[in-house]
Amino acid sequence: PADCAVFQCRGCWTVLGDSLHLCAQEERRLGLLVCFKVTNDVAWEDSLMIGLEGALLGCAYHELSCRSCGSIVGFILYSSSSDLAYLRGFFCFFKDSILCYLLKNQMIIEASKVNFPAVTLKE
């Protein structure tokens, strides 16, 4: 509970998820917080997007958006190269697109500045 946080949309502060459902962090390439569950305020389309450049080049994914303001906040990876395979099927939030409300401190801080305890799906 000391490290608990609520993940909010950077655009409108709608609650999208929380650290209790955090199952991985990816820092190197994409800057992600990866969750296995999100709130009903996270929406995604049935249609797939294909990455044409950058870290998601050649990957198929569903974009995640905030239902309240429509901001793109992340993705659900459908298919990928083997190095990103561990992210398939999970809710991946871009750290640059969300804020964290830290329950213990009652502070809002940029997700890119928060260090959560190490969790990983790779093992």
Side-chain angles (χ1 to χ4, degrees):
D3 295 321
C4 289
V6 174
F7 305 141
Q8 297 175 291
C9 173
R10 179 183 284 278
C12 66
W13 295 23
T14 295
V15 174
L16 306 173
D18 60 55
S19 61
L20 295 176
H21 298 104
L22 183 68
C23 56
Q25 298 176 75
E26 195 285 331
E27 298 292 335
R28 303 181 335 274
R29 295 167 56 188
L30 296 165
L32 300 173
L33 292 177
V34 183
C35 297
F36 62 87
K37 187 175 179 182
V38 295
T39 69
N40 290 334
D41 290 311
V42 178
W44 59 93
E45 297 290 328
D46 288 337
S47 59
L48 288 171
M49 305 289 288
I50 303 296
L52 300 176
E53 61 185 16
L56 292 177
L57 176 67
C59 296
Y61 59 92
H62 301 277
E63 280 187 328
L64 295 178
S65 62
C66 172
R67 281 194 199 277
S68 295
C69 70
S71 295
I72 301 302
V73 294
F75 62 90
I76 301 171
L77 199 57
Y78 181 77
S79 69
S80 69
S81 56
S82 60
D83 62 329
L84 294 177
Y86 71 100
L87 297 175
R88 289 183 199 150
F90 291 99
F91 300 94
C92 301
F93 289 124
F94 296 122
K95 281 188 166 187
D96 291 343
S97 299
I98 62 172
L99 300 170
C100 292
Y101 176 75
L102 305 176
L103 298 178
K104 180 180 180 181
N105 303 19
Q106 298 179 350
M107 295 174 42
I108 294 177
I109 188 166
E110 293 181 29
S112 59
K113 295 181 179 176
V114 178
N115 292 316
F116 292 100
V119 290
T120 182
L121 290 168
K122 288 186 175 182
E123 296 172 359

